[in-house]
Amino acid sequence: MQRLLTPMVFLSLLLFGASFGFFYAWVCSTMWGLDTLEPNVAIMAMNAMNISVRNGVFMPVFFGTPVVLIATSVVAFLAGQRKVAMLIGAGGLMYIFGAFIPTGSINVPMNIALEQYNPPLIAEDADAIWAEYSPRWQFWNTFRTIVSGITLLLVGFALYALPRRA
């Protein structure tokens, strides 16, 4: 078990880094950029991005991360590495409840609702739709970014807590 643990912790770190980076990019550039556009254009662009993210690169990371974390926590526990198991298990639970579930229950339904609008819309309608969508979507994305960042730190601490060979 011990020989399997280190690569699994590294894989957990890689997956969390990818998830955190994905959410972070939306926080610090994508949504701010969309907010500078005319709302009809922002709605079209957001719809295009939401459709494009359903792909074979993003989906394995998003859905595989909680599975890898749970498996890594179990392997750490069975290898007698209780601290590593606790750190990764706590990170896994944080990710599931703070990023994975909010994505599926809040951000994705908002995205699906936005897809119902096919610009060009009347300017006032587009303004109202974007003004209702963007701040709420950004709040929840920032929330899941913070949770993913904390989880990334927990997995980093778990990696640091692994026994070292002399």
Side-chain angles (χ1 to χ4, degrees), residues 76-161:
F77 183 82
L78 294 175
Q81 298 298 319
R82 304 294 191 254
K83 184 175 183 179
V84 172
M86 181 196 72
L87 288 165
I88 292 184
L93 288 174
M94 284 186 67
Y95 179 76
I96 290 167
F97 289 104
F100 191 81
I101 290 174
T103 297
S105 64
I106 299 167
N107 292 86
V108 169
M110 289 181 70
N111 296 343
I112 291 167
L114 190 68
E115 287 176 10
Q116 295 176 19
Y117 301 106
N118 294 311
L121 303 166
I122 297 168
E124 294 80 21
D125 291 344
D127 289 345
I129 291 163
W130 191 253
E132 181 180 329
Y133 175 86
S134 181
R136 181 170 179 242
W137 195 95
Q138 288 186 63
F139 171 83
W140 285 105
N141 185 65
T142 300
F143 178 81
R144 63 189 183 169
T145 302
I146 291 167
V147 168
S148 294
I150 293 168
T151 301
L152 181 61
L153 286 172
L154 289 172
V155 175
F157 291 145
L159 183 60
Y160 184 75

Side-chain angles (χ1 to χ4, degrees), residues 30-43:
T30 306
M31 293 305 292
W32 291 346
L34 291 176
D35 282 346
T36 67
L37 299 173
E38 191 274 319
N40 267 306
V41 175
I43 291 168

